[in-house]
Every structure is written in structure tokens, then in C-alpha cells.
């Protein structure tokens, strides 16, 4: 009997019933009472471990197994390995599986999952192939899906050749994994078509479930849409890719790995633009558990982009810290050093950047990208020498273009022509008559014509014309070049030009000239004389006279007052201008001897006496007499507007005082 009068048998009945109902929390309570009676009951301990696992309490389950390891022994090898796997202790899980006395099917299933997480794809592939061959149950489709995922990972991360294992594409998971393999092989168009097929299969499979809403279906399709966007990005369709990526982000899927990859791809599209959006997206790559959801190369790419984003956002210390950490984790990879070099260049430390690149070139494999970067900081001529030393790429059209541009900048035309010559000779021997070969010949001819090397350009143009004698454009260039060197040859070649009739097109000239894009429109023809009857003399057209606008008078204009004839002159030039009064107190201060009064000084002022004549003529009186005395007459001026009708003016701003003082 158990404590409380409840029998152990009835407790086991409760455990069985709770297990069938999925009520593992209640089952744990019954198991605790059973273990209280017999703490070494192996069955009860095993059931307790299973209940913890079903509840997602993997640490508690592992504690039970470790505490009672002597009692349980090898009974719970699978459960222990599974708990370690779910707690992301993958290495410990592998050791537990390998130490098992017998490799059961469920242990092999878990073994395949562990090997996949450790990225040991060859071994993982062997495990799943063996399981599919030797087992027949309802989990066969899931095993095939896992095997397809292994093949896709090998194609993407290890660039292994695509192997046809005869796996069906009956489900959207299998179809999706087949797409990943195609992407790894660079077959982007096929991959996009298969992704659309996977989307249709997913919608069909979820349509039967009445509980699934459109939002749930979109969440399930998020991984397919994100992969579609990635393919579009690889194809250069960045706008469409960005739109799909943002749709996935808005759905907020529960898969942190999917969110991290999607956000990282958006950052790669943004590059050094829209860094504010990139700073928001980079937070999604730092979510908890991301490191357990992605492959090592995916995590590495995310870390590289974080360092680049720090550089673009002028976080120099953060960029150096991240790139140094990446260099320690990946000592043989050149990219962390290249990021440091780019940061040094932003800080104008070019000599130090060159030193880093030289060290990188000596201690690492011959990465061609290092030579490209090294060339951008050196002297132009030295840079060209470095680029031309790359045997594998020196004849590529892009490399030829870069070298010709750099030599042209240095005005070294002979070296630029030599680059063209070597590239043309290479394609003449390897791919004669190919599109790249003919394009290089044409560009060489255009370059020589541009820099006045007519004779050298003629041989290239003749070579092009022989390849296609119907090429009128090349023939015209050849004739133009010969006209400056050999006019007779130019005339003989001009016979091969097509006639004007064969070159004319059915074009409506009038419609073309009157179109919106025309820069010149033909004027209409003048009317023929005699078309209209001539007008009689005296009745010809009279030119319309423009009406003179009446001048506006000031608001305070008084017609009775004669305007001041000197009103157009500046005040200082008027005859009655006496200068500005500098202050009222000035009039009260005498200018004579000390103690003299203001009244006395006024008496001595001859200009203020009635008999003294005016010093300068004043404007006449209203009658217009210029001889009348004008000492008491106020010169006529325009009246100032009354205060009620005047507009208020802003008070003049005070001038700022010198020094650091205020206003």
C-alpha cells in the first residue's frame, strides 16, 4: 500500500490513463508517489524520464538519468542521447550513441540527425541510405526527406556533384530539398521552377486541413518564398527579391534560423545604402538559438556582414574587433584581413593597408581577390603589373577593360594597346570567331581610332569585316579610317556600301519631326502670294498700341500742394539740406567762451536775424516767385501717412557687440 491508503496498482492505472490522454504532468505526480514507495523502481524511473521528455523538460530528464545511472544502466541510452541532442550538446550525444551496446533503428535515426548537425554529411548519407534500404514503416517518407536534405547540403556547402538517388518529389519538402541541390549546382532557372512546384504542393497539402488559415499557410510557405528571393537575388533581380524578403520578415515566422538568413540577405542587398534598415535587420541575426539552426558557413557569412556593416556605419572599433575575431576563428580565410584593409583605407592609412595585404599574399593561398584589392592602393602602373600577373584572369574582358582604363588614365596608350593585342591573340588561338573574341577586336579598333592610331585600327576593322561582310557599321568605320590614309582604297571599299534606296526605311518624316522627341520642328511654308485678296491702301492692318498704365499716386497726395521739384534728388544734394541734428542737447550748449549762455549765442547768430539773406535759394512759394523771401516758408513735401493708416514696421535689430558679449 502507498501512503494515504492508495495502492500502487491504482497509481499505475493513473499513470497508464494519463499517458494515453497526454497528461504527462499528472502522470509525473503519480510516478513520484510510486517512487516514494520504491525509489529504485526501474520502470517508474524510465516512465518519469519519458514524461519529462514529453513535457520538454530535457534537463530534468537528464538529471533523473544521471542520478539513477547505476539502476537504469543501458535502458535509457536513447533517451539520454536524445536529451543531449535537444540541449545542443551534440558531441556528448554522439559519444552516448557510439557507447550503446546495440545500435537500434531509433538510435540510428538519432545518429543521422547528430551527424547532420556536425556537418559530417558523407557519414550521414550512409546512415540514411542504410535505414531506407532496411526498414519499412510509416516513417519512410521522412527518412527520404532527410536524405534529400543531406544531398542538398553537400551540393551547397561542399560543392559536391549532384547525385541522383531516385528520390521522389511527391511532397513539398522533398521538392524543396531538390531545389537546394540545384542552387548548389548553379542551375537557377530550374531551381526557381521547382520552387514554384513546391509552393503548389504545399498549398494542396494544407488545403485539406480546415483548421489552417491563410496566415498559417503563408507562414508555412515562408521558407519557400525566402529561397525564391535568394534565387532572384542571384539572378540580379534584387527589387523582386527584396520585396519577397520583406514579406517573410513581416510574417514573423517562429524559425529563428529562417529569419536570420532572410535578414542577412537583405543586408547584402542594402550594402552601404540604407544602413538604418540594415541595423534593424542585423538584430534578427543575433536571436537566441540561431547558432544551432544554421550551418557553419551561414554563420560565417553573417559574421562577415556584421563586420562590414560596422565599417559602413563608421563604427571603426567595432569593425576591428569583429574582423580580428573572425581572423582568429578562420586563420586561413582572407576576408577578415580584407575587411581590416578596407577599414584602414577609410581612415586614410593606405601604407598600413598595403602592408597587411602583402603579409596576406605571402602567408595564404594565392587568392586572386587579394591581388585585386592590393592593386587598388598602389601606384597605378604597379597596380597594372599586379593585375597582369594573374594568368587565369588577365585575358578576361573585365580585366582587359580595367587595365585599358588604368593605362589610359596614365596616358600610356602603347601599354593599353598591348593589353588588347595579347587578349586578342589569346582568343584567336583558344576561341577564334567567338563573341568575346570579336567584341575585343571591335573595342580595340574603337580605342585605336579614338587615339588617332588609324593604321593600327585598319587591320582590326578589316578582320571584323571579313567575319561579316554585311556589317555596314564596320565597313563605314573602315572607309572612314582609309579616307585619312589611303583615299583610293576608301573609294574602292565604298562600292560595297548598299545603295540609298536599300537603306531607306518606310518612315513618315513629317510625323517623326512633329513627335514629342523631336528637337527640331520644320517650319510651315509661307503662304503663296495671291492666295488671299490684297488689302486696299489705307485699310491695312493697324498696329495695336499698348495702353499706357496710369502711374499710381501716393495715398497722401494733395493736388492743391505743389510737389517739391527737388524730390528726386537725394536728401544730401537738396539745396535746403542742413545736415542731421546730432542731439537736442547740442543746441543748448554754447559754443563761445566758458559761461556764455545759449540766449547770447543765439543773438550773435547772424543767420537767425530777419535782415540776413538766405545762404542758398529755397524753392519758391505757391505762386512760383523765386525772388520772394523764403526764410519762413516750409518747402513743400509729401505728407507723411497718418498713424492710423500706416503699416507698422519691424523695429531695427540691434547690432551685435564685439567680443564674446551678448546683444
Amino acid at each position: 500500500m502507498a501512503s494515504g491508503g492508495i495502492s500502487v496498482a491504482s497509481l499505475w492505472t493513473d499513470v497508464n490513463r494519463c499517458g494515453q490522454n497526454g497528461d504527462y504532468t499528472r502522470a509525473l505526480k503519480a510516478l513520484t508517489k510510486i517512487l516514494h514507495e520504491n525509489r529504485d523502481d526501474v520502470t517508474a524511473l524510465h516512465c518519469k524520464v519519458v514524461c519529462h521528455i514529453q513535457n520538454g523538460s530535457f534537463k530534468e530528464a537528464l538529471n533523473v538519468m544521471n542520478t539513477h545511472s547505476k539502476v537504469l544502466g543501458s535502458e535509457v541510452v536513447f533517451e539520454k542521447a536524445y536529451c543531449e541532442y535537444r540541449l545542443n550538446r551534440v558531441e556528448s550525444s554522439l559519444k552516448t550513441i557510439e557507447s550503446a551496446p546495440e545500435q537500434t533503428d531509433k538510435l540510428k535515426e538519432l545518429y543521422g540527425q547528430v551527424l547532420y548537425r556536425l556537418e559530417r554529411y558523407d557519414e550521414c548519407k550512409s546512415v540514411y541510405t542504410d535505414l531506407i534500404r532496411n526498414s519499412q514503416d510509416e516513417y519512410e517518407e521522412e527518412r527520404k526527406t532527410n536524405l534529400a536534405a543531406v544531398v542538398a547540403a553537400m551540393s551547397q556547402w561542399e560543392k559536391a556533384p549532384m547525385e541522383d538517388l531516385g528520390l521522389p518529389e511527391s511532397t513539398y519538402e522533398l521538392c524543396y530539398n531538390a531545389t537546394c541541390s540545384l542552387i548548389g549546382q548553379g542551375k537557377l532557372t530550374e531551381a526557381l521552377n521547382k520552387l514554384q512546384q513546391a509552393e503548389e504542393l504545399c498549398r494542396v497539402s494544407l488545403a485539406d486541413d480546415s483548421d489552417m488559415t491563410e496566415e498559417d499557410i503563408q507562414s508555412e510557405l515562408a521558407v519557400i518564398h525566402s529561397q525564391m528571393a535568394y534565387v532572384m537575388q542571384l539572378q540580379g533581380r534584387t527589387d523582386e527579391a527584396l520585396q519577397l524578403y520583406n514579406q517573410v520578415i513581416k510574417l514573423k515566422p517562429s524559425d529563428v534560423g529562417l529569419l536570420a538568413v532572410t535578414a542577412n540577405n537583405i543586408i547584402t542587398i542594402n550594402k552601404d545604402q540604407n544602413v538604418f534598415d540594415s541595423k534593424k535587420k542585423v538584430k534578427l541575426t543575433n536571436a537566441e538559438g540561431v547558432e544551432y539552426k544554421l550551418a557553419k558557413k551561414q554563420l560565417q557569412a553573417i559574421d562577415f556582414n556584421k563586420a562590414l556593416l560596422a565599417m559602413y556605419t563608421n563604427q571603426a572599433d567595432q569593425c576591428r574587433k569583429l574582423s580580428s575575431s573572425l581572423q582568429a576563428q578562420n586563420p586561413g580565410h582572407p576576408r577578415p584581413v580584407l575587411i581590416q584593409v578596407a577599414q584602414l583605407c577609410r581612415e586614410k592609412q593606405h601604407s598600413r593597408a598595403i602592408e597587411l595585404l602583402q603579409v596576406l599574399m605571402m602567408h595564404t593561398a594565392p587568392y586572386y581577390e587579394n591581388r585585386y584589392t592590393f592593386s587598388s592602393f598602389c601606384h597605378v602602373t604597379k597596380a597594372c603589373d599586379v593585375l597582369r600577373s594573374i594568368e587565369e584572369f588577365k585575358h578576361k574582358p573585365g580585366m582587359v577593360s580595367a587595365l585599358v582604363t588604368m593605362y589610359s588614365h596614365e596616358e600610356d596608350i602603347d601599354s593599353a594597346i598591348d593589353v588588347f593585342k595579347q587578349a586578342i591573340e589569346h582568343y584567336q588561338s583558344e576561341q577564334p570567331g567567338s563573341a568575346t573574341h570579336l567584341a575585343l577586336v571591335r573595342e580595340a579598333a574603337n580605342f585605336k581610332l579614338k587615339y588617332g592610331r588609324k593604321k593600327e585600327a585598319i587591320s582590326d576593322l578589316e578582320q571584323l569585316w571579313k567575319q561579316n561582310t554585311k556589317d555596314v557599321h564596320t565597313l563605314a568605320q573602315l572607309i572612314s579610317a582609309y579616307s585619312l590614309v589611303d583615299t583610293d582604297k576608301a573609294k574602292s571599299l565604298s562600292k560595297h556600301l548598299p545603295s540609298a534606296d536599300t537603306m531607306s526605311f518606310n518612315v513618315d518624316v513629317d510625323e517623326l519631326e512633329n513627335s514629342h522627341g523631336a528637337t527640331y520642328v520644320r517650319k510651315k511654308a509661307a503662304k503663296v502670294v495671291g492666295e488671299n485678296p490684297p488689302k486696299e491702301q489705307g485699310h491695312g492692318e493697324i498696329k495695336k498700341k499698348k495702353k499706357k498704365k496710369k502711374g499710381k499716386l501716393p495715398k497722401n497726395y494733395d493736388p492743391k500742394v505743389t510737389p517739391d521739384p527737388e524730390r528726386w534728388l537725394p536728401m544730401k544734394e537738396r539745396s535746403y539740406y542742413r545736415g542731421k541734428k546730432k542731439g537736442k542737447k547740442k543746441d543748448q550748449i554754447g559754443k563761445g567762451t566758458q559761461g556764455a549762455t545759449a540766449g547770447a549765442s543765439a543773438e550773435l547768430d547772424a543767420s537767425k536775424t530777419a535782415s540776413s539773406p538766405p545762404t542758398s535759394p529755397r524753392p519758391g512759394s505757391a505762386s512760383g516767385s523765386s525772388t520772394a523771401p523764403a526764410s519762413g516758408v516750409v518747402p513743400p513735401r509729401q505728407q507723411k501717412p497718418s498713424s492710423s493708416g500706416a503699416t507698422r514696421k519691424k523695429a531695427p535689430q540691434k547690432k551685435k557687440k564685439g567680443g564674446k558679449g551678448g546683444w
Side-chain angles (χ1 to χ4, degrees):
M1 294 291 291
S3 59
I6 301 174
S7 65
V8 174
S10 62
L11 289 172
W12 276 115
T13 304
D14 288 344
V15 170
N16 186 36
R17 185 174 61 254
C18 291
Q20 291 175 353
N21 297 333
D23 191 355
Y24 299 105
T25 304
R26 189 171 177 182
L28 278 170
K29 293 178 181 178
L31 288 166
T32 303
K33 292 177 182 179
I34 293 170
L35 289 170
H36 184 72
E37 295 295 325
N38 182 9
R39 64 186 304 272
D40 293 331
D41 189 333
V42 176
T43 307
L45 287 170
H46 197 168
C47 288
K48 188 175 183 179
V49 168
V50 172
C51 287
H52 278 308
I53 291 172
Q54 292 290 347
N55 283 338
S57 305
F58 303 110
K59 285 185 179 179
E60 287 78 358
L62 204 57
N63 288 335
V64 172
M65 287 183 277
N66 291 333
T67 305
H68 302 278
S69 57
K70 292 181 180 180
V71 178
L72 291 170
S74 61
E75 290 287 327
V76 289
V77 173
F78 172 77
E79 286 79 2
K80 184 179 180 182
Y82 181 74
C83 287
E84 288 170 337
Y85 172 77
R86 292 299 301 271
L87 291 170
N88 298 309
R89 303 173 189 176
V90 188
E91 296 286 352
S92 299
S93 179
L94 181 64
K95 290 179 182 178
T96 303
I97 293 170
E98 290 175 342
S99 65
E102 182 185 0
Q103 293 294 321
T104 60
D105 285 347
K106 62 181 181 180
L107 266 177
K108 287 181 182 178
E109 298 272 5
L110 182 59
Y111 186 44
Q113 293 280 358
V114 170
L115 290 172
Y116 184 83
R117 283 281 296 276
L118 292 171
E119 299 183 20
R120 292 162 59 174
Y121 299 122
D122 284 327
E123 299 171 64
C124 182
K125 178 184 166 187
S126 301
V127 170
Y128 279 119
T129 305
D130 181 63
L131 280 169
I132 292 169
R133 188 183 299 117
N134 299 316
S135 60
Q136 290 182 347
D137 52 26
E138 66 272 18
Y139 300 110
E140 184 178 359
E141 195 172 275
E142 292 182 8
R143 295 189 188 100
K144 288 180 178 179
T145 302
N146 290 344
L147 179 58
V150 174
V151 173
M154 292 175 71
S155 176
Q156 281 193 311
W157 312 128
E158 297 181 354
K159 301 301 178 185
M162 207 163 135
E163 187 178 354
D164 186 10
L165 299 175
L167 296 172
E169 295 177 7
S170 53
T171 64
Y172 72 92
E173 292 96 340
L174 282 163
C175 198
Y176 173 82
N177 288 337
T179 298
C180 296
S181 299
L182 290 170
I183 294 171
Q185 299 298 318
K187 300 176 180 178
L188 302 180
T189 306
E190 295 177 43
L192 196 59
N193 293 335
K194 202 166 285 291
L195 279 169
Q196 292 170 351
Q197 183 183 342
E199 182 179 4
E200 291 175 8
L201 287 170
C202 182
R203 288 187 180 277
V204 170
S205 64
L206 298 177
D208 299 334
D209 192 347
S210 58
D211 296 333
M212 292 288 289
T213 62
E214 181 60 28
E215 187 177 348
D216 296 332
I217 294 173
Q218 288 296 328
S219 297
E220 193 70 22
L221 287 169
V223 65
I224 297 174
H225 289 161
S226 184
Q227 197 73 306
M228 278 182 176
Y230 177 62
V231 174
M232 290 175 183
Q233 184 179 352
L234 292 177
Q235 290 177 331
R237 298 158 59 185
T238 52
D239 291 337
E240 297 170 73
L242 196 59
Q243 187 177 359
L244 263 180
Y245 282 141
N246 285 320
Q247 286 178 10
V248 173
I249 295 289
K250 285 179 183 178
L251 288 171
K252 297 180 181 178
S254 57
D255 188 351
V256 292
L258 172 62
L259 276 174
V261 170
T262 305
N264 176 72
N265 291 350
I266 291 174
I267 292 169
T268 60
I269 291 176
N270 288 340
K271 294 183 181 178
D272 58 343
Q273 304 297 319
N274 202 3
V275 290
F276 180 73
D277 178 63
S278 296
K279 288 182 76 173
K280 290 195 296 182
K281 296 293 187 295
V282 80
K283 293 177 183 177
L284 297 174
T285 65
N286 298 325
E288 186 179 356
V290 168
E291 63 273 18
Y292 306 119
K293 292 285 186 179
L294 303 178
K296 289 179 182 177
K297 288 196 175 181
Q298 288 176 308
L299 293 171
Q300 188 184 72
I302 289 172
D303 289 338
F304 285 144
N305 288 330
K306 285 179 183 177
L308 287 171
L309 183 60
M311 182 185 72
Y312 289 140
T313 52
N314 298 319
Q315 296 175 290
D317 293 336
Q318 180 73 2
C319 178
R320 277 190 286 270
K321 182 180 177 182
L322 289 170
S323 57
S324 299
S325 175
L326 284 168
Q327 189 177 5
Q329 294 171 14
N330 310 279
H333 206 294
R335 197 164 292 166
V337 181
L338 294 177
I339 294 172
Q340 292 177 33
V341 167
Q343 180 59 44
L344 286 170
C345 290
R346 290 173 74 91
E347 296 171 3
K348 309 293 185 184
Q349 300 184 40
H350 297 108
S351 58
R352 195 171 163 203
I354 292 172
E355 290 173 8
L356 267 180
L357 285 170
Q358 288 173 333
V359 171
L360 179 64
M361 290 174 67
M362 287 189 293
H363 291 88
T364 60
Y367 290 98
Y368 298 116
E369 59 182 322
N370 299 348
R371 301 192 185 188
Y372 280 119
T373 314
F374 176 66
S375 68
S376 63
F377 305 119
C378 301
H379 188 271
V380 176
T381 306
K382 292 180 181 178
C384 291
D385 294 339
V386 172
L387 292 176
R388 295 182 76 171
S389 67
I390 307 172
E391 291 294 331
E392 187 176 347
F393 293 133
K394 70 177 184 179
H395 299 309
K396 298 285 185 183
M399 180 69 83
V400 172
S401 175
L403 286 168
V404 169
T405 303
M406 293 167 78
Y407 278 129
S408 301
H409 181 268
E410 291 295 294
E411 298 182 1
D412 189 355
I413 308 304
D414 292 331
S415 297
I417 291 174
D418 186 55
V419 170
F420 273 123
K421 181 183 176 183
Q422 291 183 12
I424 291 168
E425 288 175 355
H426 170 78
Y427 281 98
Q428 182 69 40
S429 60
E430 298 292 332
Q431 302 173 21
S434 64
T436 306
H437 176 219
L438 296 178
L440 283 171
V441 174
R442 184 175 296 282
E443 289 301 322
N446 291 336
F447 183 81
K448 291 169 185 176
L449 288 171
K450 179 181 177 182
Y451 287 95
R453 307 290 182 92
K454 301 289 190 303
K455 292 182 179 180
E456 297 175 44
I458 285 171
S459 61
D460 294 330
L461 290 169
E462 283 182 337
Q463 184 181 350
L464 280 174
W465 188 55
K466 287 176 183 177
Q467 290 286 337
N468 183 12
T469 54
K470 295 181 180 179
D471 188 353
V472 180
H473 176 70
T474 304
L475 179 59
Q477 280 187 308
L478 185 58
I479 293 169
S480 176
Y482 265 124
S483 65
L484 300 172
V485 179
D486 188 350
T487 54
D488 295 334
K489 184 69 175 178
K491 288 178 181 178
S492 63
L493 283 173
S494 62
K495 295 176 183 178
H496 297 282
L497 286 170
S499 62
D501 296 334
T502 58
M503 294 180 67
S504 63
F505 301 98
N506 296 324
V507 179
D508 188 346
V509 178
D510 294 331
E511 184 181 352
L512 183 63
E513 287 184 343
N514 293 321
S515 64
H516 293 292
T519 55
Y520 169 76
V521 179
R522 185 173 59 187
K523 293 181 180 179
K524 293 181 180 179
K527 292 182 179 179
V528 181
V529 178
E531 187 176 350
N532 293 326
K535 295 181 180 179
E536 296 179 6
Q537 289 183 353
H539 296 281
E541 290 186 0
I542 300 171
K543 291 183 180 180
K544 293 182 179 179
K545 294 182 179 180
K546 291 183 180 180
K547 292 182 179 180
K548 291 184 179 181
K549 293 183 179 180
K550 293 182 179 180
K552 292 184 179 180
L553 297 172
K555 292 180 181 179
N556 58 350
Y557 173 70
D558 188 357
K560 297 178 181 179
V561 179
T562 304
D564 183 2
E566 297 183 12
R567 64 187 181 278
W568 307 115
L569 297 175
M571 184 61 73
K572 290 182 180 180
E573 295 179 13
R574 297 181 189 179
S575 58
Y576 48 82
Y577 179 71
R578 298 297 179 192
K580 293 182 179 179
K581 294 182 180 180
K582 295 184 179 179
K584 294 181 180 179
K585 293 182 180 180
K586 290 273 184 179
D587 296 337
Q588 299 173 7
I589 299 173
K591 295 184 180 179
T593 58
Q594 187 174 3
T597 60
S601 62
E603 291 176 1
L604 296 172
D605 190 355
S607 63
K608 294 184 179 180
T609 59
S611 60
S612 61
T615 56
S616 59
R618 295 260 182 156
S621 61
S623 62
S625 175
S626 60
T627 58
S631 61
V633 179
V634 178
R637 299 180 186 176
Q638 293 182 357
Q639 295 179 359
K640 293 183 181 179
S642 60
S643 60
S644 60
T647 55
R648 296 183 61 185
K649 292 184 179 180
K650 188 176 179 181
Q653 197 173 26
K654 295 182 180 179
K655 292 184 180 179
K656 191 173 181 180
K657 295 180 181 178
K660 298 182 180 179
W663 292 96

